[in-house]
Structures are given as C-alpha cells and as structure tokens.
C-alpha cells in the first residue's frame, strides 16, 4: 500500500507553567517532531492558549488540539478559536476534534453545556468543521478527526484532512485495517492522512497512562496492541514502516513522557 511520508507529533500538556512549556515546544522542534499537540481538559490550561505560546517560541513546529471535545464548546465557538489560531500562527495550526469521552460529561455540565447523545456530539463535530471552513474562506485549516466508531469513521473520511484511528487499544491489526479501509472508502478520491496515537514506547507504562488505557504491559503485548511500540530504534522504525505498508498510517503521535525516547525513531523516518 502506497503511503504518505512519515511525520510525528507529541501530545503534551502545559501543566508545569509557561517556562517548562516553552522549553517543551522548542525541544520538540529541535528533535524533529512535526507537531506539538495539546489535550482538551478543564484541569489543564486551555489548549488554544497553550498552543499560541508554543507557536510563538518556535519557527516551523506545527501545533494542534488533541483533541477538542465537541461537548465543551458550541460549534461556532470552537471554529472561532481554531480559525484564530490558524491566522495567528501563520497557518501552523491543525484542529483536532472528536466527540469526547464519558468523563467529559461532568466537564460539559461545569461549563453549562449539554453533553448530548452520540449522534448529537458527532453532529457538533461536523458543524464545527462547517463553521471553520466558512471562517477560513480561501484558506484551509487542516482538520483532524479522532474516529472511534463507524459513524465517526464515515464522517471523518468525508470531511477531515487527517483521521486518527481511535478505536479500542486492543483492536487487532485486521480490525484496524478494516477501519482504515472504511475511512478511505468514505473519502472517495480525497487525499486523507491516516494517523495513530501510540500510548507506550518501550517496556514500561507510566502509572497514569496505565490508569487511562486500563491495561498493563503484559496485556498489550499479548494482544499485539498497536498502541504499543517496543524494541530499539531500528525495530521501532521497521514496525512503523510495516504499519504504513499494511494500514496506510503515516502520522504517529506519542505521549510527552516519551519525547526523548522516541526521537531516534524520528531521526530514521521523518520525511521518508
């Protein structure tokens, strides 16, 4: 399967203050990461502010939300924030958006917004993209959709520039290949970049990541989880090349805990 050139992102949060965050942004750029991605969580600084700061202290690094949770903003407000960042970063911003996860119900309530049903939250994703396209005019802010279910994969294929495969952490390679095929079918002739988030690089899971994904390292290994990448840099690079060939995935993001550990893989594959 022909694939796009590799690029890599790092997902990090500006929770340790401005100086540390600016250092993270500069280091990500120095190590060859394509994008610095910020999560959307009421317990962290708002991603739009964090990403504006990161873009201001770098020159080529792209920045993106990973991802806006659709229940936490009205579609028009989310599009306003995204368009503003796109303009102020000289088009280095990529808007990632998804329907959110169950804990977002409390966050939405705190903001005075409805959490909504699954179809309603997915409609918010679509509406946000429509508002952003209107605000962009002749410009084009890249949109990434995190797609977990079949309806989200169909919408992402039809409307997104980048689609992150966001299914179960224990999804098999065969299942993931089917999901990728669904997205490409929905895209028709459109050129869509397929992405994947890697939760664990190496042999150990940081406790908070273990709590988030709900599985230990042994379970990930047993199920050949695609959210895990093991071995030395050469072995990791070979595995990612295999995934691009079999699945068409060329854009990978890793957690900020692995910013340095993953850098040798970037040196081998970025832009290839």
């Amino acid at each position: 399967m022909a694939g796009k050139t590799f690029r890599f992102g790092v997902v990090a949060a500006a929770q340790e203050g401005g100086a540390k965050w600016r250092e993270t942004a500069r280091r990500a750029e120095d190590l060859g990461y394509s994008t610095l991605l910020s999560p959307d969580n009421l317990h962290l600084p708002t991603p739009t502010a964090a990403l504006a700061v990161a873009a201001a202290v770098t020159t080529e690094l792209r920045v993106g939300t990973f991802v806006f949770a659709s229940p936490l903003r009205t579609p028009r407000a989310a599009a306003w924030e995204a368009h503003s960042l796109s303009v102020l970063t000289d088009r280095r911003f990529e808007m990632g958006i998804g329907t959110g996860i169950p804990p977002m119900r409390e966050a939405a309530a705190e903001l005075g917004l409805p959490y909504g049903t699954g179809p309603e939250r997915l409609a918010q994703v679509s509406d946000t993209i429509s508002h952003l396209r209107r605000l962009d005019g002749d410009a084009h802010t890249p949109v990434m959709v995190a797609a977990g279910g079949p309806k989200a994969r169909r919408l992402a294929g039809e409307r997104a520039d980048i689609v992150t495969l966001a299914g179960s952490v224990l999804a098999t390679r065969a299942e993931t290949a089917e999901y990728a095929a669904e997205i490409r079918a929905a895209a028709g002739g459109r050129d869509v970049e397929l992405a994947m988030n890697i939760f664990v690089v190496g042999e150990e899971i940081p406790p908070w990541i273990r709590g988030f994904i709900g599985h230990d390292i042994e379970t990930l290994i047993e199920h050949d989880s695609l959210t895990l990448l093991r071995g030395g840099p050469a072995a990791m690079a070979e595995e990612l090349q295999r995934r691009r060939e079999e699945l068409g995935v060329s854009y990978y993001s890793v957690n900020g805990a692995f910013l340095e550990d993953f850098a040798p893989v970037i040196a081998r594959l970025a832009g290839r």
Side-chain angles (χ1 to χ4, degrees):
M1 178 185 301
K4 291 179 172 289
T5 58
F6 283 109
R7 69 179 184 125
F8 302 94
V10 58
V11 183
Q15 58 188 346
E16 298 182 35
K20 179 63 175 177
W21 178 243
R22 291 190 292 272
E23 178 185 335
T24 296
R26 294 188 186 103
R27 185 60 177 157
E29 183 168 60
D30 289 344
L31 291 174
Y33 285 90
S34 169
T35 47
L36 176 60
L37 304 162
S38 180
D40 194 19
N41 187 314
L42 288 188
H43 301 295
L44 299 170
T46 174
T48 50
L51 296 173
V53 169
V57 298
T58 55
T59 56
E60 297 183 358
L61 184 72
R62 301 186 65 79
V63 296
T65 48
F66 196 85
V67 295
F68 273 155
S70 64
L72 301 190
R73 298 164 188 80
T74 65
R76 178 63 177 82
W80 177 36
E81 292 187 29
H83 176 72
S84 298
L85 263 177
S86 187
V87 170
L88 294 175
T89 62
D90 297 323
R91 304 297 171 184
R92 285 192 283 146
F93 174 70
E94 299 175 2
M95 184 187 76
I97 189 168
T99 57
I101 55 179
M104 292 293 178
R105 184 183 299 274
E106 294 182 4
E110 188 173 343
L111 292 170
L113 295 169
Y115 183 68
T117 64
E120 287 171 341
R121 299 197 309 277
L122 191 60
Q124 286 180 299
V125 171
S126 182
D127 290 346
T128 300
I129 297 172
S130 295
H131 283 299
L132 178 59
R133 294 292 176 243
R134 180 177 59 80
L135 291 173
D136 276 347
D138 293 334
H140 186 90
T141 300
V143 170
M144 175 177 69
V145 170
K151 293 180 180 178
R153 289 193 289 272
R154 183 163 52 254
L155 171 66
E158 292 172 350
R159 305 211 60 190
D161 304 287
I162 310 155
V163 183
T164 292
L165 298 167
S168 167
V169 297
L170 300 183
T172 66
R173 290 176 188 263
E175 289 170 335
T176 305
E178 291 177 4
Y179 301 156
E182 288 178 29
I183 293 164
R184 286 191 291 269
R190 290 196 324 110
D191 187 22
V192 175
E193 182 179 39
L194 294 183
M196 183 176 291
N197 186 41
I198 298 172
F199 284 109
V200 184
V201 176
E203 304 293 336
E204 296 183 10
I205 306 180
W208 73 268
I209 294 180
R210 163 71 175 81
F212 181 76
I213 64 177
H215 298 287
D216 56 25
I217 191 73
E218 291 77 16
T219 302
L220 297 182
I221 293 172
E222 178 186 353
H223 288 80
D224 187 27
S225 172
L226 296 177
T227 64
L228 170 66
L229 197 60
R230 304 166 65 210
M236 292 183 186
E238 183 177 350
E239 168 61 18
L240 294 185
Q241 288 174 312
R242 175 189 176 188
R243 295 185 191 185
R244 182 173 65 176
E245 177 65 25
E246 295 179 352
L247 307 173
V249 179
S250 58
Y251 179 24
Y252 292 88
S253 57
V254 299
N255 187 271
F258 307 109
L259 176 74
E260 300 287 343
D261 295 338
F262 192 66
V265 181
I266 294 177
R268 289 172 178 266
L269 293 181
R272 290 182 52 189

